[in-house]
Amino acid sequence: MPMHDPIDRYPTRVLHTPGLLDRPDPVIWGSDADPEILGFGSRGYLHRAGAISPDTAARCLAEIDRIEHDPDLRDDERTVREETGEAVRSVFDIMNLSTIVADAVEESGAAHLARRILGSEVYVHQSRLNHKPGFVGGAFYWHSDFETWHAEDGMPAPRAVSASISLTANETYNGPLMIVPGSQRVFVQCRGATPPDHHHESLVTTTPRIGTPSESAVAELVAAHGIDVITGPAGAMTVFDSNVLHASSGNISPLERANIFVVFNSVENRLREPFAADAPRPRHLAAR
Amino acid sequence: MPMHDPIDRYPTRVLHTPGLLDRPDPVIWGSDADPEILGFGSRGYLHRAGAISPDTAARCLAEIDRIEHDPDLRDDERTVREETGEAVRSVFDIMNLSTIVADAVEESGAAHLARRILGSEVYVHQSRLNHKPGFVGGAFYWHSDFETWHAEDGMPAPRAVSASISLTANETYNGPLMIVPGSQRVFVQCRGATPPDHHHESLVTTTPRIGTPSESAVAELVAAHGIDVITGPAGAMTVFDSNVLHASSGNISPLERANIFVVFNSVENRLREPFAADAPRPRHLAAR
């Protein structure tokens, strides 16, 4: 049965008309007053060029090609393919599948930033590779990561950050990350109960129905804050708040897009029972 | 039967492996040496901010809303709706359906530019409104307009230009026009015979199979020339060569996108029998 915590401060997957709730928790949990950290607090993300070297990015790309074609991982649940065709969309648990990728994350300094932002030690909640091939890469619709992690993984508060490390150039036209700056301060409730084993659908489809903000909520936040399109060369890193509204468009350009995606959660924010789902998701989606 | 002209210099819809052909015709047909015109010759397009006033753009938008909801046009073949849902994707013959839109095209100066580029008098080959609503707007895949007009409408040479006049802001994230500058000098052959009444499918689907360049051709031209993403406020106009490779991404942002699209053909380039189709398309797609 769903365990609706009586003191759940982020109720979602509701059956009534969903609302926009003021975030009761801070964005910056530590006392670091560095301008880069303060900027993260106001915009919900920070961006660093050259977080990893071009060599490291190239080694990770090659590693990924190896993993994508590894027959042992062909039917592994950690490998998610495009709705149409064979192209790999995501490989989960990538830091355990590849020491080269784990080393690249270390090189990026993401964990150090996460500790400064979250004001505590951190652990890896999830790591994955996203690969959006040229011509056929599907979109990721607008969402807050925390909404899913709260509802389906039992993450109590948005005391987590994601690091996206680019292995290819992100141009405006090849499906870059789009962020609604400032939206991290608003928790967008989503409508509808979580079906059993929802992740089988939600990680594949480009148009998920559950855990998706209403169009009116997205329109209201974009009208208030605009959209930042995050572009840059391979090796750049974007660290963003777990609750900031983001998306990426489809990619019909010939340029593929690949990035490493790592989520750091505060050790003071460990997972509990899901807040709005029958059972926790597998460990490769949410480490416990 | 298809009328494959024995002196067809732009053979397409071929059954063998398609190639990239050097364009045997000029891009600039007149002797105008104005820098704006010369720039069009080298990049295959030109862009002007403020081609129509904000007031005119607003009047056209309202007019379009009227036409979209006109019960008399509900099942009219000039109205093309999205593959999924009721949203209107294109309204053809818009200059005859709306004097307000026809006046806006006059205000834009597009016809004058077309005459200077094409070195002759011109006539309207096609006019339409494209409307890409927020959240659900589909992509237009890479294509050369001339390839279709040659194969299906019998346009002998790429002595035609298109004017796209923006009625809404074009941002990088709401599905703007993407152009491969310089690609107008290459005719990209497409593979496969044209099915009967192909336009019933080709104008609706986001992934047409016929009249579509191969991925390798698109990749080669983008590697050589890059991609220009055309953004700007409402009222801006882009005039582009009939053979330049272009596309637009899907739009998952809340911001709708609408533009008037008018094709001017040289009076010395009047349509003949289709070069690679059984029968000409209807007059609202190709005036004769």
Side-chain angles (χ1 to χ4, degrees), chain A residues 134-136 139-142 172-173 178 214-216 218-219 222 226-229 247-255, chain B residues 134-136 139-142 172-173 178 214-216 218-219 222 226-229 247-255:
Chain A
F135 298 111
V136 297
F140 285 87
Y141 191 76
W142 300 99
T172 60
Y173 51 76
M178 304 188 291
S214 69
E215 291 186 356
S216 62
V218 174
V222 169
I227 294 173
D228 285 357
V229 178
S248 61
S249 292
N251 177 20
I252 62 172
S253 89
L255 280 73
Chain B
F135 298 111
V136 298
F140 285 88
Y141 192 74
W142 300 100
T172 59
Y173 51 76
M178 304 188 290
S214 70
E215 291 188 356
S216 62
V218 174
V222 169
I227 295 173
D228 285 357
V229 178
S248 61
S249 292
N251 177 21
I252 62 172
S253 89
L255 280 74

Side-chain angles (χ1 to χ4, degrees), chain B:
Chain B
M1 288 297 295
M3 300 292 290
H4 287 293
D5 191 310
I7 55 158
D8 183 2
R9 295 171 305 144
Y10 296 92
T12 188
R13 314 287 168 107
V14 298
L15 301 181
H16 55 75
T17 303
L20 303 184
L21 310 182
D22 281 340
R23 173 180 178 148
D25 286 308
V27 178
I28 304 296
W29 297 71
S31 54
D32 196 322
D34 181 87
E36 188 180 30
I37 303 295
L38 296 180
F40 180 98
S42 64
R43 296 192 80 74
Y45 74 95
L46 63 82
H47 183 80
R48 281 184 177 175
I52 62 173
S53 72
D55 270 7
T56 301
R59 274 202 306 277
C60 289
L61 259 187
E63 184 71 349
I64 276 145
D65 193 58
R66 180 185 70 75
I67 291 168
E68 285 189 355
H69 295 93
D70 183 339
D72 290 348
L73 292 171
R74 171 132 199 94
D75 297 314
D76 192 292
E77 65 176 351
R78 292 174 292 189
T79 304
V80 178
R81 293 173 195 273
E82 293 278 345
E83 239 174 334
T84 52
E86 283 295 288
V88 166
R89 182 178 169 91
S90 299
V91 181
F92 284 87
D93 204 23
I94 189 72
M95 285 176 73
N96 288 320
L97 287 171
S98 167
T99 53
I100 288 176
V101 171
D103 289 348
V105 173
E106 177 65 27
E107 177 185 335
S108 74
H112 182 59
L113 273 169
R115 284 191 291 268
R116 290 167 64 196
I117 292 166
L118 302 178
S120 72
E121 284 303 310
V122 298
Y123 70 98
V124 173
H125 170 71
Q126 181 194 101
S127 72
R128 70 173 190 257
L129 158 79
N130 292 319
H131 183 226
K132 195 176 276 195
F135 298 111
V136 298
F140 285 88
Y141 192 74
W142 300 100
H143 64 285
S144 147
D145 291 327
F146 171 67
E147 195 276 342
T148 292
W149 300 339
H150 183 68
E152 301 187 27
D153 296 336
M155 182 182 285
R159 192 170 178 178
V161 296
S162 301
S164 174
I165 304 168
S166 304
L167 304 180
T168 53
N170 286 307
E171 307 287 353
T172 59
Y173 51 76
N174 70 338
L177 180 62
M178 304 188 290
I179 291 180
V180 181
S183 63
Q184 75 278 4
R185 298 191 180 281
V186 176
F187 182 69
V188 181
Q189 289 187 309
C190 296
R191 182 165 191 161
T194 312
D197 289 331
H198 178 234
H199 60 278
H200 290 313
E201 180 195 346
S202 65
L203 297 176
V204 179
T205 182
T206 57
T207 52
R209 293 165 298 112
I210 302 297
T212 297
S214 70
E215 291 188 356
S216 62
V218 174
E220 181 176 336
L221 288 168
V222 169
H225 300 294
I227 295 173
D228 285 357
V229 178
I230 316 296
T231 57
M237 173 169 70
T238 305
V239 177
F240 56 101
D241 180 84
S242 59
N243 187 51
V244 79
L245 192 68
H246 63 288
S248 61
S249 292
N251 177 21
I252 62 172
S253 89
L255 280 74
E256 67 175 351
R257 180 171 171 264
N259 68 306
I260 302 165
F261 185 81
V262 186
V263 183
F264 298 96
N265 190 27
S266 166
V267 295
E268 297 171 21
N269 193 40
R270 287 190 187 276
L271 304 190
R272 302 160 61 176
E273 290 297 304
F275 285 83
D278 285 341
R281 299 193 299 173
R283 297 294 166 101
H284 70 277
L285 298 178
R288 285 172 184 274

Side-chain angles (χ1 to χ4, degrees), chain A residues 180-280:
Chain A
V180 180
S183 63
Q184 75 278 3
R185 297 193 181 281
V186 176
F187 183 69
V188 180
Q189 289 188 309
C190 296
R191 181 167 190 159
T194 312
D197 289 330
H198 178 233
H199 60 277
H200 290 312
E201 179 195 347
S202 65
L203 298 176
V204 180
T205 181
T206 57
T207 52
R209 291 166 299 110
I210 300 297
T212 296
S214 69
E215 291 186 356
S216 62
V218 174
E220 181 176 338
L221 288 167
V222 169
H225 300 293
I227 294 173
D228 285 357
V229 178
I230 316 296
T231 58
M237 173 169 69
T238 305
V239 177
F240 56 101
D241 180 84
S242 60
N243 187 51
V244 79
L245 192 68
H246 63 288
S248 61
S249 292
N251 177 20
I252 62 172
S253 89
L255 280 73
E256 67 175 352
R257 179 171 172 264
N259 67 305
I260 302 166
F261 185 82
V262 187
V263 182
F264 298 96
N265 190 26
S266 166
V267 295
E268 298 172 21
N269 193 40
R270 289 192 185 273
L271 304 190
R272 302 160 61 176
E273 290 298 303
F275 285 84
D278 285 342

